[in-house]
Amino acid sequence: MSIAVVLGAGGAFGWVFHTGVLQALRSELGDGASPDLIIGTSAGAAIAAAERAGTDPESIVDSVMRRPSREDQAAMLADVRAAPKTMRPVAPGLVRHLFPGGGGAVLGLSGLLPPGWFPTSFLEGFPGANDHPVWPRGLWIPAVRADDGAVVVFGRDRLDVAVHQAVQASSAVPGMFRPYEIDGSRYLDGGIVSPTHAHLAANSGASVVIVSSPMTRPSRRPLARHARRRLADERQRLDDAGITPVIIEPSAQLVAQARGFPRRNPGAAQAIMHQAMERSHAALGSLDRSRAGRRQSD
């Protein structure tokens, strides 16, 4: 059984949720086993890079919970103060994606947001992000090229950049973080096209695709509804390719319980981890039982 894992967007909540999913997966697969492919978008990109580096999951959670040192805070404040301040759209050309045949409303509207003030440089120090002397096997990180809205999948389309650069490119949320520049091209958060990009696994040779999807939680908010529509389309593409999708999502109750995480609600980390692991074990157990049942019927 060839396994691909998809780690979607989701901020700090997503970092911890993904970590719980991966811990459960390691337990199910056994010591030393790892997925054949990991696709990480936005928050998922950092965790995907950490997993491929063999980073201990507890150190990831500790890093998320740890407050920046005074030196780090001072450096970031200086960087923010030095950043150009403008309300001009970050990529106005992306508005064409609002029209039929384009990449969708979220992509088009994202280009009309101003560039964020905050740098993505803190992600270079994320556990495992800078521990790759060469691009690791089976790691794909999608980011959006600001000039035209094209999705570039680092690790598949390009292997000539550092992993931490791809992580920063995929995490540059318009309106919050500054676009990340690589070789003269600016990149934006991969999540503005799809919070998961699970469809990329359709031609990967995987027989099972496990999708950790914090953004598709139950909610009437536009971004959550958009995420659910995109994931439904991607799930259909996996089904059409004869691939078994396993979707792992947080409950609305957990999202409410974790509101304010991590800074105002640090105690939610254990609840996030626990539910991610619990739901992953349940989903993977159901998959094993289903496959065993099909083998017996054959």
Side-chain angles (χ1 to χ4, degrees):
M1 182 172 61
S2 175
I3 295 177
V5 172
V6 173
L7 305 177
F13 179 102
W15 284 338
V16 178
F17 192 83
H18 294 326
T19 301
V21 171
L22 289 173
Q23 279 192 302
L25 182 60
R26 287 181 181 181
S27 174
E28 294 283 342
L29 293 178
D31 292 339
S34 63
D36 301 278
L37 172 67
I38 302 182
I39 301 170
T41 301
S42 195
I47 302 301
E51 196 283 338
R52 277 298 185 240
T55 307
D56 175 41
E58 290 187 5
S59 69
I60 298 174
V61 177
D62 288 344
S63 177
V64 174
M65 303 299 297
R66 188 183 311 119
R67 289 187 175 277
S69 66
R70 289 184 178 180
E71 292 78 9
D72 289 341
Q73 291 182 48
M76 179 170 286
L77 182 59
D79 198 339
V80 169
R81 286 174 173 169
K85 310 297 190 298
T86 178
M87 294 304 292
R88 292 180 179 176
V90 64
L94 296 183
V95 72
R96 65 180 178 273
H97 288 283
L98 289 169
F99 301 102
V106 173
L107 175 59
L109 293 174
S110 293
L112 298 178
L113 293 172
W117 294 358
F118 295 100
T120 56
S121 54
F122 72 96
L123 287 167
E124 186 173 354
F126 197 88
N130 206 11
D131 294 344
H132 302 277
V134 296
W135 194 276
R137 177 193 62 82
L139 173 63
W140 292 359
I141 297 177
V144 176
R145 194 164 54 211
D147 292 343
D148 56 7
V151 175
V152 176
V153 183
F154 294 99
R156 186 196 69 176
D157 305 334
R158 292 188 61 174
L159 299 170
D160 60 335
V161 302
V163 170
H164 75 82
Q165 291 180 299
V167 170
Q168 292 183 68
S170 187
S171 304
V173 183
M176 182 177 297
F177 294 105
R178 299 199 292 269
Y180 190 79
E181 187 170 316
I182 299 176
D183 297 336
S185 292
R186 298 177 307 147
Y187 288 90
L188 304 173
D189 191 305
I192 65 176
V193 166
S194 168
T196 45
H197 290 278
H199 65 286
L200 295 176
N203 298 316
S204 68
S207 54
V208 175
V209 176
I210 299 166
V211 184
S212 176
S213 181
M215 293 290 289
T216 54
R217 60 188 178 269
S219 172
R220 294 183 179 181
R221 292 184 177 182
L223 286 179
R225 292 163 63 184
H226 163 74
R228 289 197 295 273
R229 286 194 299 269
R230 290 306 300 254
L231 183 56
D233 291 342
E234 293 167 4
R235 181 172 190 165
Q236 186 60 56
R237 292 176 65 174
L238 294 175
D239 284 334
D240 293 344
I243 299 171
T244 302
V246 178
I247 313 299
I248 303 168
E249 304 161 299
S251 67
Q253 180 181 3
L254 175 65
V255 172
Q257 182 181 349
R259 189 169 289 117
F261 177 81
R263 296 296 172 239
R264 291 185 289 106
N265 186 10
Q270 290 304 312
I272 298 170
M273 286 277 291
H274 177 75
Q275 185 174 110
M277 294 176 68
E278 186 178 64
R279 292 197 162 199
S280 299
H281 281 301
L284 294 170
S286 296
L287 174 65
D288 287 341
R289 289 190 294 274
S290 174
R291 294 173 70 89
R294 286 199 297 269
R295 284 195 296 269
Q296 290 176 358
S297 65
D298 292 341

